[in-house]
Amino acid sequence: MNRAKTTLRHLRLLNSLHSTRLYPQVPIPFSHLSPSLSKQPHAYISIPTYQILSFSTQPTSILELIVDSDWSKELEHKLSNTNPKLTHETVVYILKKLDKDPKRASKFFNWVCDKNGFRPSSAIYSLVLRIFANKESVKQFWATITKMKELGFYIDEATYLTVLGVFRNSKMGNDVTAWTQLYNKMVKENEMSDVVKKVVGVVTRSDWGREVERDLGEMEILLSDGFVLRVLKELRGYPLKALSFFKWVGGCLGYEHNSVTYNAVARVLGRDDSIGEFWSMVKEMQGLGHEMDIDTYIKISRQFQKNKMLKDAVELYELMMDGPYKPSAQDCGVLLRTISVGGNANMDLVYRVVDKHEAAGNVLTKSDYDGIHRALTSVGRFDEAEKIVETMRKLGHEPDNITYSQLVFGLCKARRLEEASKVLDLMEANGCIPDIKTWTILINGHCAANEVDKALFCFANMMEKNCGADADLLDVLVNGFISQNRIEGANQLVVEMVNKVRLRPWQATYKSLIQRLLEKRKFEEALNLLHLMKKHNYPPSPEPFVHFISRFGTVEDAGDFLKALSGKEYPSISAYLHVFKAFFQEGRDSEAKDLLFKCPHHIRKHEAICSLFGSSKSSNAAAA
């Protein structure tokens, strides 16, 4: 019954007014649319680093107040009346929503800490540092660092690297230096670092058991949220051991886990080899009234998507959309795109995401529709994909190069190449000029189908329409030629595109083609490509040349290659040594000696060369 309702809902989504057909296709039958250790006494001191506060059921209401008003005493009064206490999860949610507005984020953070009595965790401080790491709010960044040091917080490696990258990209050289020096100093001075290392060593050296618990119990540990977080981060490569440590800490007298530590262990468990434990932990969190914060969700969801754990990514999205800290519309679009790439989209997962997104009162954007359309075309469900386009049109979203390119890709994948080519004609008729990406998809589709000559015809057609080629497209064509063992044709194409169109091929294109030419014993053609590489400021690719020359080449070939290696008068000593050694390894000693005879005086007299040939005397004799 539920599945029937879902199917009807999807059919309503696809239903729209008739419009100009986007798809030049043969009719296709319509497809139906389609999911603990016991507590033990330990004499440890508990040092809580954040205050347990009441749960906010309306984080969006607080956010709306902050975004819609200038910061003032009146706003602070409204916020206090709305919700006098804020949880860790709510503060993270609001800060993440303000990450593009450092000034407002700073005002909120100062208010919640100074006047609301909230005690931030190290996770929140790390988030704040990432928000303030820019030229406009760098003063707040360093002020936050000072506050962290006063409270005894440390900077974790992930935050250090993220901020360092931002400073470097923003050309903030002085801040890069100061930030690196500060981090290195804090790592060196941190009193807990040695204890953390010892704990991690005890936990990782063997399977969890009474011996591990005994060794931990004999250590002098001051338990705090910060300490637990540091150990969990160090154990992120050992998720099940991290879970055992987490449960053991929860059994220590005087310490109780909170949303901060629960979110931390969830991040560690959110991977393929501990996915069952992850979902059990999420259920445990919910049972205790803890919520997954939005920053934790984003990191775990990215990990799931990166590792193709799409079912878990969708289930996690559904979980968050049912809670108070809903992912953004952008997160929905990213998830839809992830599901749709790779050519085997699971449409049930796509529609589950769409259902949750719309159930929260959201309206699908052009990007969202593109995600659905991409998924449908990638699995060959063109009739349903066309209905999506009709729905988009009805809502004012005309198909663009993205929409058409997805259709071209799907048709090429289905080996419906003629229809894919006609799509570009239809694009022009509808006033949408195909760009280089659309042409590349079409030409790549022909090459993948071993229709290289037709791909060349499409390429010529593209050039006639004044759409310039780029390195990506050239690489596609070269690979197409190589797949048919048409190496000379590939070489001719590259040379013409460089000399006549002034195109700069990718380094990988050069290297691949050089390797293939040398396999065909086309030394002169390969050497010409090496000269072109040098003109384009690519480092030379000597290995295939040396391998070829040592086995099949002449002394003259070796000399020409060495001259081509360097823009200077002579290449380096190491280049000569490489060639000489290769000749010796192939047993071609006479060629090595002949080459040495033709070398300049400073090469023949060089210590390394003399040593290779036996001695300075023997080298002179050989060169005499």
Side-chain angles (χ1 to χ4, degrees):
M1 180 63 71
N2 290 335
R3 183 174 178 81
K5 290 182 179 179
T6 301
T7 301
L8 289 173
R9 187 160 59 251
H10 295 159
L11 289 171
R12 286 196 295 270
L13 172 67
L14 294 171
N15 188 31
S16 62
L17 297 175
H18 291 288
S19 59
T20 303
R21 291 181 66 84
L22 174 62
Y23 294 67
Q25 60 174 14
V26 178
I28 306 173
F30 186 82
S31 302
H32 291 292
L33 303 179
S34 11
S36 156
L37 297 174
S38 61
K39 290 184 176 290
Q40 300 178 26
H42 295 277
Y44 296 158
I45 302 173
S46 176
I47 307 177
T49 55
Y50 92 114
Q51 186 173 342
I52 300 176
L53 303 171
S54 63
F55 173 64
S56 167
T57 57
Q58 295 180 319
T60 53
S61 300
I62 302 172
L63 180 64
E64 289 172 1
L65 273 176
I66 296 172
V67 172
D68 295 339
S69 309
D70 292 332
W71 200 272
S72 62
K73 296 291 185 182
E74 181 181 358
L75 175 59
E76 292 181 2
H77 181 69
K78 289 181 179 179
L79 290 172
S80 298
N81 288 339
T82 301
N83 196 316
K85 299 294 183 182
L86 298 176
T87 62
H88 163 85
E89 301 95 315
T90 301
V91 173
V92 170
Y93 179 81
I94 294 173
L95 286 172
K96 286 293 291 184
K97 295 297 183 180
L98 298 176
D99 63 355
K100 304 301 182 185
D101 190 349
K103 185 176 180 180
R104 205 179 295 268
S106 177
K107 293 286 187 181
F108 167 73
F109 184 64
N110 291 335
W111 170 77
V112 77
C113 294
D114 297 341
K115 299 184 179 180
N116 196 267
F118 180 80
R119 283 181 165 181
S121 65
S122 60
I124 287 182
Y125 268 117
S126 295
L127 173 58
V128 170
L129 290 180
R130 298 200 299 269
I131 295 174
F132 291 163
N134 57 73
K135 292 181 179 179
E136 291 72 24
S137 55
V138 71
K139 290 185 178 179
Q140 292 99 312
F141 175 86
W142 290 111
T144 304
I145 290 289
T146 301
K147 187 67 174 178
M148 289 179 66
K149 291 172 66 177
E150 291 175 356
L151 296 174
F153 288 108
Y154 83 108
I155 301 168
D156 63 80
E157 183 180 15
T159 301
Y160 164 69
L161 293 175
T162 300
V163 171
L164 183 66
V166 173
F167 282 165
R168 284 176 173 169
N169 292 336
S170 302
K171 311 298 183 189
M172 300 167 66
N174 292 335
D175 294 288
V176 167
T177 302
W179 176 238
T180 300
Q181 291 176 347
L182 173 69
Y183 175 73
N184 291 336
K185 183 179 180 181
M186 290 183 71
V187 170
K188 187 175 181 180
E189 294 178 349
N190 196 296
E191 295 179 356
M192 289 196 301
S193 61
D194 289 339
V195 180
V196 170
K197 291 178 181 177
K198 290 180 181 178
V199 170
V200 172
V202 169
V203 174
T204 57
R205 73 187 178 196
S206 59
D207 293 336
W208 190 275
R210 293 186 178 276
E211 183 179 349
V212 173
E213 293 183 2
R214 183 199 66 210
D215 291 344
L216 291 175
E218 293 174 353
M219 299 174 64
E220 295 182 2
I221 304 175
L222 299 179
L223 285 178
S224 67
D225 296 347
F227 180 83
V228 174
L229 263 60
R230 290 198 62 183
V231 174
L232 288 175
K233 284 184 178 180
E234 293 298 324
L235 293 173
R236 59 188 178 276
Y238 309 88
L240 299 183
K241 292 179 183 293
L243 177 60
S244 296
F245 171 77
F246 179 85
K247 291 182 176 181
W248 176 81
V249 169
C252 297
L253 289 179
Y255 185 84
E256 184 176 352
H257 284 301
N258 49 59
S259 62
V260 176
T261 54
Y262 268 106
N263 273 275
V265 77
R267 294 189 188 194
V268 175
L269 295 173
R271 43 187 284 176
D272 185 53
D273 54 352
S274 54
I275 192 62
E277 289 79 6
F278 168 79
W279 287 114
S280 295
M281 184 57 63
V282 169
K283 184 177 181 181
E284 182 177 327
M285 288 175 65
Q286 291 180 316
L288 295 172
H290 300 305
E291 297 284 343
M292 181 177 292
D293 67 56
I294 194 67
D295 197 39
T296 297
Y297 162 75
I298 291 172
K299 286 181 170 59
I300 296 176
S301 181
R302 286 175 181 171
Q303 187 72 11
F304 284 167
Q305 293 177 54
K306 177 182 177 181
N307 294 331
K308 307 301 181 184
M309 300 168 62
L310 300 182
K311 182 175 180 293
D312 294 289
V314 171
E315 289 181 2
L316 187 61
Y317 177 80
E318 292 172 325
L319 173 79
M320 295 298 292
M321 290 298 289
D322 287 337
Y325 309 107
K326 293 176 173 54
S328 66
Q330 182 181 5
D331 293 322
C332 170
V334 170
L335 184 53
L336 286 174
R337 285 193 294 274
T338 303
I339 297 172
S340 65
V341 298
N344 294 301
N346 185 324
M347 294 308 302
D348 181 57
L349 296 180
V350 169
Y351 286 121
R352 282 170 61 179
V353 173
V354 170
D355 285 345
K356 279 297 177 183
H357 183 70
E358 292 187 319
N362 298 309
V363 177
L364 291 174
T365 65
K366 168 65 165 56
S367 178
D368 297 331
Y369 279 113
D370 279 336
I372 302 171
H373 182 260
R374 182 185 296 108
L376 289 166
T377 54
S378 71
V379 295
R381 293 163 67 168
F382 299 108
D383 51 350
E384 298 166 52
E386 185 182 2
K387 291 182 181 296
I388 286 292
V389 174
E390 292 172 355
T391 302
M392 290 166 58
R393 275 200 175 104
K394 184 178 179 181
L395 296 173
H397 304 306
E398 285 297 320
D400 54 16
N401 263 289
I402 294 175
T403 315
Y404 285 111
S405 294
Q406 291 172 175
L407 173 57
V408 171
F409 174 82
L411 289 170
C412 286
K413 182 185 175 186
R415 296 294 192 262
R416 295 162 60 170
L417 302 178
E418 185 176 350
E419 296 170 54
S421 298
K422 290 180 180 179
V423 170
L424 276 73
D425 297 330
L426 183 60
M427 290 177 67
E428 293 186 359
N430 290 336
C432 183
I433 305 302
D435 61 15
I436 183 62
K437 291 184 179 179
T438 307
W439 281 107
T440 300
I441 291 171
L442 177 64
I443 292 170
N444 185 58
H446 281 79
C447 289
N450 209 29
E451 297 284 356
V452 177
D453 289 331
K454 291 183 179 179
L456 283 174
F457 178 81
C458 294
F459 177 66
N461 190 19
M462 181 197 82
M463 298 293 284
E464 287 178 2
K465 294 179 181 296
N466 296 319
C467 182
D470 63 7
D472 281 330
L473 178 54
L474 180 59
D475 191 64
V476 166
L477 285 168
V478 168
N479 288 331
F481 273 110
I482 290 176
S483 69
Q484 292 190 341
N485 202 29
R486 295 162 63 178
I487 311 304
E488 293 182 23
N491 178 62
Q492 182 180 353
L493 176 64
V494 169
V495 172
E496 288 186 1
M497 295 303 295
V498 171
N499 293 333
K500 295 182 179 180
V501 187
R502 305 303 178 198
L503 191 146
R504 185 175 187 262
W506 294 126
Q507 181 183 6
T509 306
Y510 274 127
K511 293 176 69 174
S512 175
L513 187 50
I514 285 173
Q515 180 69 45
R516 298 289 183 160
L517 284 168
L518 291 174
E519 289 174 1
K520 293 287 185 179
R521 301 197 183 188
K522 299 291 183 179
F523 176 76
E524 292 183 6
E525 291 85 347
L527 194 64
N528 180 53
L529 291 186
L530 182 62
H531 283 291
L532 294 180
M533 285 185 72
K534 296 290 294 182
K535 287 183 179 180
H536 287 142
N537 296 318
Y538 288 128
S541 179
E543 195 58 42
F545 283 97
V546 174
H547 179 72
F548 171 84
I549 291 169
S550 66
R551 298 184 65 189
F552 311 110
T554 65
V555 173
E556 288 73 20
D557 291 337
D560 291 340
F561 164 67
L562 289 167
K563 289 178 183 178
L565 272 184
S566 176
K568 303 176 183 179
E569 187 175 358
Y570 299 108
S572 65
I573 292 293
S574 61
Y576 282 97
L577 282 170
H578 197 184
V579 175
F580 285 135
K581 289 179 180 179
F583 270 134
F584 284 135
Q585 287 173 358
E586 292 293 332
R588 301 180 69 186
D589 296 22
S590 60
E591 283 83 355
K593 292 176 181 179
D594 290 343
L595 177 61
L596 179 64
F597 177 77
K598 294 186 177 184
C599 289
H601 183 266
H602 76 281
I603 297 295
R604 295 199 305 269
K605 293 293 185 179
H606 194 277
E607 181 181 357
I609 300 295
C610 292
S611 176
L612 180 65
F613 279 84
S615 68
S616 176
K617 184 176 181 179
S618 63
S619 296
N620 290 334

